[in-house]
Amino acid sequence: MYMFSGKTVHRINGGEPITVHAGELLFLGRGASHEIERAEYEDIAVNFIVLPQFFDMALERIGADNALGRFIANSISRAGGSDFLLFRVADVLPVQNLVENMVWSLENRQLNGQKIAQTTMGLLFLQLLNYTDRIEQGKADRYASRLAMAALRYIEENYKEASLTELARRENQSVYELSRLIKAQ
C-alpha cells in the first residue's frame, strides 16, 4: 500500500495501531489480517494486490539476504516471518517517483504495461534496499498470544457467566477479531 496523501491508521493481526503517512509504503504478509480505521476525504492510498509470480524478477535483483527479500520470500512461501514492513520513505524522491510511475503505468494501460510495472517494482525494491534503516517490521504473534492468555484467564475467573462480547469489550477488540485471534491461537 502506498499512501498518496494524508494518513491512515492500520491494525495488522489485531496488533497496536500503525499510522502510515503520505509517501510511505506498507507491505503486508500474505496471511496478515488487516483493518484500516476510518479515513478522511484527503486520505488517499493506493493498494497493490500482487501475485507471487510478479515478484520473481524483483527477488532476482535484490536477493533474499536482506529484510525486504526475506519478507517477500517468506510471504510467497507462507513460511512465517514478519507480518508487515513499513518503509518511512516520504522524503526519498526516487522512491516516490518510482511508485507514482508504477501507478501511472497500471492506470494508463499500454503495450508492455505489465513488464514495465514489474521492472519498475524491481527498481523500487533496489531503491528501498538503500533505506533499510527506515523499516518498521512487525509480527503480531506476541499480541495474539497475550490475548489468548487473557481469554483463558477470563474464562477461568468467570466461567459461569463468561461471554465473548464481554471479553471483547474488556480487551478493546471487536467480537469478530477476538474470536479469530483466539481460534488462531
Side-chain angles (χ1 to χ4, degrees), residues 46-162:
V46 178
N47 192 17
F48 298 95
I49 300 173
V50 184
L51 296 172
Q53 58 269 29
F54 200 77
F55 290 111
D56 291 345
M57 184 185 295
L59 272 175
E60 280 180 31
R61 285 187 168 56
I62 67 171
D65 60 343
N66 56 72
L68 181 57
R70 281 188 298 275
F71 177 81
I72 292 169
N74 288 337
S75 289
I76 291 170
S77 67
R78 294 184 186 241
S82 296
D83 293 326
F84 70 90
L85 290 181
L86 174 58
F87 283 87
R88 302 273 188 201
V89 290
D91 61 332
V92 181
L93 191 57
V95 169
Q96 304 306 309
N97 288 340
L98 286 166
V99 172
E100 291 185 22
N101 284 337
M102 192 164 48
V103 169
W104 188 91
S105 292
L106 293 170
E107 181 63 27
N108 298 286
R109 298 177 192 255
Q110 56 189 355
L111 280 166
N112 299 312
Q114 187 169 353
K115 288 181 181 177
I116 291 169
Q118 194 171 20
T119 302
T120 303
M121 184 176 284
L123 293 171
L124 173 64
F125 287 175
L126 285 171
Q127 274 294 341
L128 290 173
L129 286 180
N130 295 326
Y131 301 96
T132 55
D133 59 321
R134 297 182 182 203
I135 294 176
E136 291 178 23
Q137 55 186 327
K139 184 154 183 68
D141 286 350
R142 292 180 301 276
Y143 178 77
S145 295
R146 185 204 63 76
L147 204 54
M149 291 305 295
L152 290 173
R153 191 169 35 259
Y154 169 75
I155 292 168
E156 185 177 305
E157 293 170 359
N158 303 286
Y159 63 91
K160 287 184 180 179
E161 66 275 344

Side-chain angles (χ1 to χ4, degrees), residues 12-44:
I12 301 164
N13 291 340
E16 294 299 314
I18 299 163
T19 303
V20 181
H21 300 276
E24 296 177 342
L25 285 162
L26 175 64
F27 289 76
L28 294 173
R30 198 167 171 186
S33 165
H34 179 232
E35 297 176 49
I36 304 174
E37 291 182 9
R38 184 179 185 277
E40 299 298 324
Y41 184 76
E42 298 81 21
D43 300 330
I44 301 170

